[in-house]
Amino acid sequence: MENSLRQVQDNYARIRDEIAEAAVKSGRTPEDISFMAVTKTVAPELVNCAIDCGISLLGENRVQEYQSKKDAYRQGIPVDFIGTLQSNKVKYLIGNIRMIQSVNKLSLAQEIDRCAAKHNIKQDILLEVNIGGEDSKSGMTPETLPSLLEQIAEMPNVRVCGLMTIPPPSEDTRFLEAMQELFLKTKEIQLPDTEMSILSMGMSGDYAQAIRYGSNLVRIGSALFGARNYQK
Ligand SMILES: *Cc1c(COP(=O)(O)O)cnc(C)c1O
């Protein structure tokens, strides 16, 4: 069941405190960590409640759902796209979305570059890494990442700002650790006009751990809004 406004307020306060604690434990400040609210299936009323609490970044998974809900959200709040994206839908995002976090292949980056050129903008993106090497998941592997990064960094209308990942479920922290290592290694590659400052890692179940392994953007859905109901 979706949460009430009161539950969202309580959850927000609790998660914000846990993020702050994990930030300090890893030698950073709470302001160093972005707390994204993931809005899939969530009623705009609850999303706006989270914004009123202090959320300043939203994450959307589906182009159609984004389009149908965006006008109901408080205006002026940046939205990132975090879901699987087909090239033919890129055109609906460019000019509206702050960042596309789920760039998982070269052809998608090429389409983003092409659409961004039409809008005369440079589109910020993250590269999605399949850190567990799972067949079921999209994303670049640690092996293919460096060469793809070099090719994408050359695109004039795309700016690579960092990495995103959805690690496989795990009893231990090995994938978080591997991702931190990969992020640090990738930052050392010298590339034109590329900052590599964002590591988007951590969801409802593992955000505090993810921050301890270097994440500076956590994407939180169910811990904030309650369990999702996909039937609606
Ligand atoms: C749904 C989703 C999340 C949030 O998941 P929760 O476990 O509900 O916090 C984060 N990132 C991506 C890419 C998602 O699709």
Side-chain angles (χ1 to χ4, degrees):
M1 256 270 294
E2 209 166 69
N3 281 349
S4 68
L5 297 181
R6 180 57 201 273
Q7 282 169 313
V8 171
Q9 289 164 350
D10 290 349
N11 290 339
Y12 173 81
R14 192 190 68 250
I15 296 166
R16 182 202 54 204
D17 289 351
E18 280 175 25
I19 289 174
E21 188 188 325
V24 170
K25 272 191 187 152
S26 61
R28 289 170 295 168
T29 68
E31 295 72 39
D32 292 331
I33 317 295
S34 300
F35 175 1
M36 167 194 281
V38 176
T39 62
K40 58 178 180 270
T41 77
V42 179
E45 186 195 13
L46 286 191
V47 176
N48 286 335
C49 171
I51 294 168
D52 293 339
C53 291
I55 283 291
S56 56
L57 178 63
L58 304 180
E60 292 280 344
N61 282 76
R62 301 186 184 91
V63 173
Q64 237 185 337
E65 187 180 343
Y66 166 63
Q67 287 180 309
S68 71
K69 283 160 71 180
K70 68 180 167 61
D71 293 334
Y73 296 154
R74 299 244 188 289
Q75 297 303 293
I77 298 292
V79 179
D80 284 3
F81 195 81
I82 61 173
T84 306
L85 181 58
Q86 290 165 332
S87 287
N88 62 359
K89 301 223 169 121
V90 168
K91 57 177 178 284
Y92 302 117
L93 300 181
I94 307 292
N96 293 306
I97 288 275
R98 179 189 79 137
M99 187 180 290
I100 299 174
Q101 295 203 359
S102 44
V103 177
N104 58 3
K105 46 178 178 276
L106 190 62
S107 59
L108 178 58
Q110 285 164 334
E111 178 61 12
I112 294 169
D113 185 50
R114 201 183 66 79
C115 284
K118 270 196 193 164
H119 284 251
N120 227 338
I121 60 169
K122 209 166 170 104
Q123 176 64 55
D124 287 344
I125 65 167
L126 302 182
L127 303 186
E128 183 176 349
V129 179
N130 180 357
I131 193 65
E134 297 161 284
D135 291 338
S136 62
K137 262 186 206 152
S138 61
M140 305 170 180
T141 64
E143 292 72 36
T144 58
L145 178 68
S147 85
L148 289 167
L149 172 60
E150 284 178 23
Q151 293 175 69
I152 295 170
E154 295 288 333
M155 298 178 183
N157 291 84
V158 162
R159 183 186 296 113
V160 185
C161 301
L163 304 179
M164 185 271 241
T165 193
I166 309 169
S170 169
E171 295 292 299
D172 55 41
T173 55
R174 85 184 91 155
F175 296 116
L176 302 178
E177 227 168 300
M179 199 60 207
Q180 177 175 40
E181 214 172 283
L182 182 66
F183 182 54
L184 293 174
K185 231 169 70 185
T186 308
K187 274 161 97 86
E188 285 170 12
I189 305 174
Q190 292 298 316
L191 297 162
D193 192 28
T194 304
E195 217 178 304
M196 296 304 277
S197 56
I198 298 177
L199 177 56
S200 172
M201 174 169 84
M203 320 202 311
S204 289
D206 65 350
Y207 60 90
Q209 286 283 22
I211 291 168
R212 284 187 201 118
Y213 287 94
S215 167
N216 53 19
L217 193 160
V218 291
R219 309 178 309 265
I220 300 185
S222 48
L224 181 62
F225 295 119
R228 282 180 286 275
N229 178 359
Y230 288 98
Q231 257 65 51
K232 278 187 306 181

